[in-house]
Amino acid sequence: MKASVSRTLVKLAEDLVLIFFAAFILAPFTLMLFTSFREMKDLTKNGPLSMPAVWTFNNYIKVFTKGNFVQYYKSSVLITAATVLLVLILVLLASYSLVYLDLLGKKIIMALFMFGLVVPFEQIMLPLFANLRGYGWINKYISVILPQVALNLPFAIVLVTTFMKKVPFELIEAARIDGGSELFILLEIVTDRKSTRLNS
């Protein structure tokens, strides 16, 4: 009986802790949502923590009519899609080359990628801007996409090369003996789930 009561109290305490942290996390988002339905005069008069005196959708209308929200959203989608696609292609090709091909100086190349992990963005920000301005790429999509690709490559390559090293090298050699191209090996063996399950 006592054990059952103890388990109930522990479960109740856990639930209360989870509810507290959930409320703590959701509070800023709730405040932001309520604030979006308020006018500026209501906000300055009653303070930021009060409920809206008059609910209005004017802020949302202004966002779509005067704030160019649709254009900004399209730009974000385009930049994100292009960055992810380029990073994925470059990382797969670079990681495969560093792990499975006999490249001259590949240890040095890998060390340079590792060095890219410790270079702070603040250190390269001004030279990067100067280079982009010199190329005439300011206020263009490419000025955001290419730096994002370059900044994400080091970590992604370290992560993917670690994964590729777990694929049995015998599978790679067998595929080469059977006449498989390097692209076929990359797409059908290295990135295929069957090889990782076989290795495990």
Side-chain angles (χ1 to χ4, degrees):
M1 183 65 179
K2 292 183 178 180
S4 177
V5 173
S6 299
R7 284 195 298 268
T8 303
L9 292 176
V10 170
K11 183 68 169 57
L12 179 61
E14 292 176 351
D15 292 342
L16 291 175
V17 170
L18 292 176
I19 291 173
F20 171 77
F21 280 106
F24 182 77
I25 293 172
L26 292 176
F29 296 99
T30 305
L31 179 62
M32 180 177 61
L33 179 63
F34 287 155
T35 303
S36 67
F37 291 104
R38 303 176 64 180
E39 295 182 349
M40 182 57 68
K41 58 182 180 181
D42 178 25
L43 187 63
T44 55
K45 179 180 179 181
N46 299 323
L49 300 180
S50 62
M51 293 291 290
V54 178
W55 295 76
T56 178
F57 288 92
N58 290 337
N59 295 326
Y60 290 94
I61 296 174
K62 290 179 181 178
V63 165
F64 284 96
T65 57
K66 299 181 180 180
N68 295 326
F69 176 79
V70 176
Q71 178 61 39
Y72 296 150
Y73 186 78
K74 288 180 180 179
S75 299
S76 297
V77 171
L78 176 61
I79 291 171
T80 302
T83 301
V84 171
L85 182 62
L86 285 174
V87 168
L88 181 62
I89 294 173
L90 293 176
V91 164
L92 285 177
L93 296 177
S95 300
Y96 182 85
S97 301
L98 291 172
V99 175
Y100 296 113
L101 299 183
D102 189 16
L103 296 179
L104 181 64
K106 66 179 183 179
K107 290 185 178 180
I108 298 177
I109 297 174
M110 191 64 190
L112 291 175
F113 281 120
M114 295 286 289
F115 178 73
L117 293 173
V118 299
V119 176
F121 176 73
E122 292 77 11
Q123 188 173 355
I124 64 173
M125 181 171 56
L126 293 180
L128 176 62
F129 178 79
N131 288 333
L132 294 175
R133 184 174 57 183
Y135 291 131
W137 288 351
I138 298 300
N139 293 328
K140 295 183 179 179
Y141 289 127
I142 194 171
S143 66
V144 181
I145 294 173
L146 290 184
Q148 287 292 328
V149 172
L151 291 171
N152 284 285
L153 276 179
F155 175 76
I157 286 177
V158 171
L159 184 66
V160 175
T161 52
T162 303
F163 161 77
M164 286 187 177
K165 290 177 182 178
K166 296 181 180 180
V167 179
F169 191 75
E170 291 79 6
L171 290 176
I172 310 299
E173 289 298 319
R176 287 173 177 167
I177 293 173
D178 291 339
S181 64
E182 299 297 336
L183 183 60
F184 172 83
I185 296 172
L186 172 62
L187 297 178
E188 298 296 330
I189 296 179
V190 176
T191 60
D192 187 31
R193 297 178 182 177
K194 294 179 182 178
S195 60
T196 56
R197 288 200 299 266
L198 180 62
N199 187 40
S200 60

